[in-house]
Amino acid sequence: MAQHQFQTEVSQLLHLIIHSLYSNREIFLRELVSNASDALDKLKYLTVADDAYKSISFDPRIDISFHKDPDKPGNPTLTISDNGIGMNEADLVESLGTIARSGTKAFLEKLTADAKKDSNLIGQFGVGFYSAFMVADRIEVISRKAGEGEAWRWTSEGKDSYAIESAQRDTQGTTVILYLTEEGAEYANRWSIEDIIKRYSNHVAFPIYLTYDEKEWDDGNQGSSGKEKGSKTKTDRINSGTALWRRPKTELKDEDYTEFYKQLGHDTDEPLFHIHTRAEGTLEYTTLFYVPKKAPFDMYNMDYKPGVKLYVKRVFITDDDKELMPTWLRFVRGVIDSEDLPLNVSREILQQNKILLNIKNASVKKLLSEFKTLADKAAAGDGEAKEKWETFIGQFNRPLKEGLYQDFASREAIQELVRFKSTAVEGWTSFADYVSRMKGDQKNIYYVTGGDEKTLRASPLLEAYKAREIEVLIMDDEIDDIVIPSLHSYRQEKPGADGKTESSSWDLKAVNRAGADEELGEQKDKAAEKEAKPVIEKIKKALGDRVKDVKLSRRLHDSPSCIVADENDPSIQMAQMLKAMGQAEMPDVKPILEVNGDHPIVAGLKNIDDEDRIADTAGVLLDQALLVEGVKLKDPADFVKRLNRLLSS
């Protein structure tokens, strides 16, 4: 018998599961059944697509049973068995001794003090097998890989180590034996198991059988007059086992969709909404998509787990192909079942297959259409739709923005869905809403990007726009600095009076960039520019190469200074983000300093010739403008010294 140590993170995880997460123990059965279903899916595919497996006798099923452990009279055992793909020694080490995906660390970071909420995370983080240690103090796994003759036994008490040794198993597949604790003993009965399976795994596509002992009575019925005369062993199927997505929508209830989603997405919450489509004609396929209430934990990880499974004629093909959905829709969960793809389609062929590409494009259009319908209902005052829409935008607004940048074909549709904060209204608003509030002579849509909403709302850059009642969109998501400049404009099409479609377009202008102030009124008169020129020259000379230029501002009313970026330069926030992403060689972006010629601090420099005083004032004007925009100063001590000298004088 070979002894192995658990991976460090697995040991941490097991300790937490065993000692903390007891509020929702029943999910262990959902996870083990889901693992068995996956194993059956994989072998079913191989028996169709791979000649090496076609000779295997395969009648897929999952069996559950329980019985008393003779060595532990009080505590029974629970057994879950399948005849799926199975595992060899190396597979057991990889699958049960380590965490294949980087889910465990994120799982540990997500844990809270609420044991029920914490246990609900288990399936979502790909660590479902280990949940069995919530109800068992010892687990045995006996497995034989399809096509191999030797079987293996994996044993652990859920502490620091596990053992693997040779074993016997007549057919391929896996048997998991749980030696239940006192707390877990409640699940070793027919009614508990049936209830859990019907709630979580009723729509698993393979039959699930429960074997149990049924008592017999001398009068045929249990009652006050009847006496128990023995028992007989029975085996009943306890799940429906149908491919729910292939059933007509008229036969299905919301509860059916919810049950299937919980099994599919390893989620205990109900989905936000679902979209069930059956396409017939040139292409025949069925899709069932779900949008979760909460964003998947790994949504912003490079190695995120795709949420859509591909079937061909109800035969499982893959659940690990990121080509089934564009990355900006990676939060979608569901199933694609095609009638036209060949059953032996390979991963490489999938990525280039025109049929799948057409299904993918049609699915994206359908999803966008449903999102738009929900948004329209919410805007029309539908209370339920409004609640769903606000949840949807709160969770998935950012990946939708990624779609603006990544998916040119869907850009116009996505433009109608993304939402922003605004200086004119509370809550979220859209480009279309902004346009509907514009004054008749306004030519552009204005926005400001930066670190956080509070800082942006207080920015001096907005002073003149507020004074002229020009709305500015607040874009405080770091992705906005990448996405919005790539749009250039927002186009809107509406039916005209003659029935023809009329198209209108508005340029998108960042108020924190030079050249976005054309609509702020007339240029400063020549006299004002002439009068301010000596002061501008003094400040420019004092700051030297710290700035790209110094200009008289049309944006400022109350503040003495602000910074903007040149139209051809990235913003300072963008430059900082790129450096944080590893582009260390990127040159420093020099801002343009705009000053308010009417402000006493700026106007006061007109009659000052002391170069040190001018240098201190110019430095403070620049540094405070940077601070207001949330930019970290390179030399805070120098700023404090300059400020103290000015205060002293």
Side-chain angles (χ1 to χ4, degrees), residues 72-92:
K72 285 187 174 182
N75 296 348
T77 60
L78 179 64
T79 302
I80 299 93
S81 181
D82 68 75
N83 59 341
I85 188 68
M87 293 177 281
N88 57 24
E89 184 180 17
D91 295 331
L92 286 168

Side-chain angles (χ1 to χ4, degrees), residues 269-316:
D269 286 333
E270 294 183 0
L272 191 60
F273 55 89
H274 67 267
I275 302 163
H276 192 181
T277 303
R278 169 77 176 167
E280 296 178 336
T282 308
L283 286 178
E284 287 192 29
Y285 62 90
T286 302
T287 60
L288 174 55
F289 297 127
Y290 293 92
V291 173
K293 281 186 178 178
K294 294 180 181 177
F297 82 96
D298 59 352
M299 188 164 72
Y300 297 111
N301 291 358
M302 287 293 292
D303 61 343
Y304 70 89
K305 176 71 174 174
V308 176
K309 294 186 176 186
L310 175 66
Y311 288 78
V312 174
K313 300 180 180 70
R314 283 178 284 186
V315 176
F316 171 78

